Structures are given as structure tokens and as C-alpha cells.
Amino acid sequence: MSNASPPLIKPITLGSGPRAVTLETPVILAPLSGVTDLPFRALAKSLGAGLVVSEMIASWAMVRENRNTMRMAEVVAGGGPSSVQLAGCEPDAMAEAARIAVANGADLIDINFGCPVKKVALGQAAGSALMRDEVMAGKILAATVRAVDVPVTLKMRMGWDHNSLNAPTLARIAQDTGIAMVTVHGRTRQQFYEGVADWDFIAHVKAAVQIPLIVNGDITSGPKAAEALRRSGADGVMIGRGAYGRPWFLKQVADYLRTGELPAPPTLAGQKEILLRHYAAIRAHFGEKGGVRLARKHVSWYSHGLRGSAAFRAQMNRLDSGAAVEALIDSFYDPLIESGFIRQDEMALAA
């Protein structure tokens, strides 16, 4: 990709009328259970994510206004649109959950037909299981679209397995029911997260519909994002695991897709500042005890690739005090910052 190349992404407008949503930057943070909580989404949005999507919310729990569920569905105020993702197998419950989410500030509703987890797909007949029941899938999509005046989107996989790659068919059903945009993860349910995402197959889904399509799966660098767009013909990218420990990554990808230049990541001092901001937000949102525990995985991801990180993580995971963890972060990062340490992956990107 050169500076003379046209941008690979452009704004996408979803829906029409006063509640239409324009994604100025279609580089989207994927919904990730246990990861994309409100602190993570707020941070990613502040650092340049074009759209952030909540953790998957069970429709029945939303309807019952379960306290923890309502906290999971909180939207990020200001700075562009936020989406709430819903999962369920009953059209009426999905419709009511969507109404509640919109009343609480959601700019978009996303429907999950992609979750591969056994508890959801088999135990609840939701998530990716709905790719095996196109009639019920259509009823859920139609009921949700009718229930709200904001755009409704869909996230799914290629199919249940390689013998039933029906994402193009479901995309057409979605379009016919009024779904405004479709995201496809380039794996089947049976693959879970193994193997390689098939961006070429997603081109068949793109050819089946006129609504915008987003490609998802294995997007871990700017060049991979560009390749995914070229091979799929998609209108934007969704990034999940690639953003672990680097919430600034979505802005890097967006800049690369617009300019062809690989932007530098924040300096290590800048990364430490973002980590501490994230850590404080987690503790404020979940409370000291719960926050310290929940933050451990994030701190581990931030430190990945840094010299001595294994010992740092082992020590951090034994601490129960937020102040003690912050002191440990200082003692770990500051010598690296002073020495000018650069991660190997960052050196590769700069080459």
C-alpha cells in the first residue's frame, strides 16, 4: 500500500431519518465477553475506535433488568456511536431487550448469531445455533428491527460447519428484514477460534447483499486489515483479540487504511499512562476488590512482550491492593522506559 493509493475505508451511514448513524471510521471494536466492559470501551473510543460494541447481553436478562446485565449494557457517552449486542432465541424477548437498550442510550443494536460457546449455542439455542434455523433467525431479526428506531446490525460466522456455509443466505434474509449492516467472522462455529479466518469466503457474503459488510477475524496488524478488506470486499473491519492490551490499535489500523503509512504506537511511557488510566477506570467501575481481580488479565496483556514480563505478571497476580499493583507497574515500566526498550513486534512494524 502506497501513499498514492486511495483510502481503503470511507464513512458508512446506517439507517435513515433522525436516528441514522454514520460510522466515520469503520474500524470497530468487537464484542468480547469479559473484555469489552465499559472501561475498555470508553478507553478504546477515546483513543480513536470508530465504533465500540458491548459484551454480548442475554436478552432475557435485559428484560428482567438484571443488575449486572444492565451494567454490562451501559453505553459510552460522547465521541461517536456505541452499540449494544444482544443474544437470544425468542423474538419477543429480543425485541423488548432492544427497546430497553435504546431507552438507555444505545445508538445501535447488534444481534449475535456468532457466539460459539457451548452454553450459548447449545444450552440456549442462541448465538451461532441460529445459523442452523434460518426461519427463527429471520423472525428474531424482523422483530428486533420493528421494535426500535435505531439501526440494527448482525454479527455471524460463515456457518455452523463447513457443510453448511449459509452466511450468504442469512445475509440476504437479514437485508430483507431491514438489518442495516452485517459483520462476518471468517470461521465456522465448529472452528471456534482455531485455524485461519477465511476472508475470501466473506466475499461471497458481500456479493449477496447491498448493505454494508464488515470483515472480522485474525486482524492483528494494519497490513492484515488491508488484506482482509481486499480479499473480502468488505466496507470495514472489526477487531477483537488484536486489541488485547493495546486499545490504541484500532486508531493505528484506521490511519494505515487511510494513508498506507504504518503509524507508530504510543511510546512505552505513553502505554504506561494508558494502562494506569485503564486500571483506575476498572477499579472505579467494579469496585476495589472486584476491579483488582478483573484488571489482572488486562495488565498481563499490556505487559506482553516486555522484558521480564513473566515475573511481573506472576507477582502482580498475587497482589490484592490496587495501590500495590500501581507501585509494581511503576517499578516494572520505569526502568524499561529509561532504557529506551522497544517491543519486538513494534520494531517489526517500524521496519
Side-chain angles (χ1 to χ4, degrees), residues 8 10 12 14 156 167-172 175 180-184 198-215 228-236:
L8 293 178
K10 59 184 179 180
I12 298 171
L14 307 178
M156 61 180 169
T169 299
L170 268 175
R172 285 192 293 269
Q175 178 175 268
M181 181 176 75
V182 172
T183 298
V184 181
D198 189 345
W199 300 327
D200 296 315
F201 176 83
I202 296 174
H204 298 295
V205 188
K206 175 63 177 174
V209 294
Q210 287 74 54
I211 57 177
L213 182 137
I214 304 298
V215 58
L229 286 173
R230 291 193 188 101
R231 286 168 53 183
S232 67
D235 302 285

Side-chain angles (χ1 to χ4, degrees), residues 41-342:
R41 297 197 305 276
L43 184 60
K45 182 183 271 194
S46 74
L47 294 172
L51 174 67
V52 295
V53 186
S54 76
E55 301 171 81
M56 181 181 67
I57 307 295
S59 58
W60 62 267
M62 175 75 86
V63 171
R64 295 176 186 175
E65 297 191 357
N66 175 278
R67 181 178 179 183
N68 185 56
T69 298
M70 299 305 290
R71 181 169 66 178
M72 290 169 63
E74 287 183 50
V75 299
V76 182
S82 291
S83 177
V84 170
Q85 188 186 73
L86 300 174
C89 60
E90 299 176 0
D92 290 345
M94 287 287 285
E96 181 60 20
R99 283 189 284 265
I100 293 169
V102 170
N104 288 336
D107 303 296
L108 295 159
I109 297 297
D110 188 57
I111 297 175
N112 184 306
F113 283 1
C115 180
V117 176
K118 182 177 181 180
K119 176 182 176 182
V120 175
L122 298 180
Q124 301 173 13
S128 56
L130 286 161
M131 298 198 73
R132 297 197 293 180
D133 189 344
E134 294 174 3
V135 172
M136 179 55 70
K139 290 178 179 178
I140 288 171
L141 296 170
T144 308
V145 169
R146 287 195 303 266
V148 295
D149 61 353
V150 303
V152 179
T153 63
L154 169 66
K155 186 172 188 290
M156 61 180 169
R157 290 184 168 234
M158 298 192 301
W160 180 261
D161 56 30
H162 278 89
N163 294 318
S164 56
L165 299 177
N166 62 335
T169 299
L170 268 175
R172 285 192 293 269
I173 292 170
Q175 178 175 268
D176 291 345
T177 62
I179 293 294
M181 181 176 75
V182 172
T183 298
V184 181
H185 183 130
R187 289 181 174 86
T188 67
R189 184 270 171 181
Q190 298 297 65
Q191 285 181 281
F192 284 78
Y193 298 98
E194 300 299 321
V196 178
D198 189 345
W199 300 327
D200 296 315
F201 176 83
I202 296 174
H204 298 295
V205 188
K206 175 63 177 174
V209 294
Q210 287 74 54
I211 57 177
L213 182 137
I214 304 298
V215 58
N216 176 227
D218 294 350
I219 298 173
T220 55
S221 71
K224 283 190 174 183
E227 183 182 358
L229 286 173
R230 291 193 188 101
R231 286 168 53 183
S232 67
D235 302 285
V237 298
M238 177 176 281
I239 297 172
R241 290 173 291 171
Y244 285 10
R246 47 177 187 168
W248 56 82
F249 177 60
L250 290 97
K251 177 65 160 55
Q252 287 183 284
V253 169
D255 289 347
Y256 179 77
L257 295 176
R258 288 195 178 104
T259 69
E261 297 289 336
L262 284 169
T267 64
L268 194 54
Q271 293 176 30
K272 177 195 170 188
E273 186 276 328
I274 292 169
L275 164 57
L276 288 173
R277 181 162 33 126
H278 191 182
Y279 193 67
I282 292 172
R283 290 160 61 200
H285 186 68
F286 292 104
E288 180 71 11
K289 183 177 180 180
V292 168
R293 184 179 66 255
L294 288 167
R296 287 172 179 163
K297 60 191 169 192
H298 292 284
V299 177
S300 295
W301 290 327
Y302 277 102
S303 68
H304 178 74
L306 296 178
R307 186 173 59 233
S309 61
F312 164 73
R313 289 191 291 270
Q315 187 175 356
M316 183 265 299
N317 287 336
R318 292 193 295 267
L319 298 176
D320 296 320
S321 161
V325 173
E326 289 183 341
L328 180 64
I329 291 170
D330 286 338
S331 66
F332 172 67
Y333 272 84
D334 290 351
L336 294 172
I337 293 168
E338 291 171 9
S339 71
F341 182 87
I342 300 176

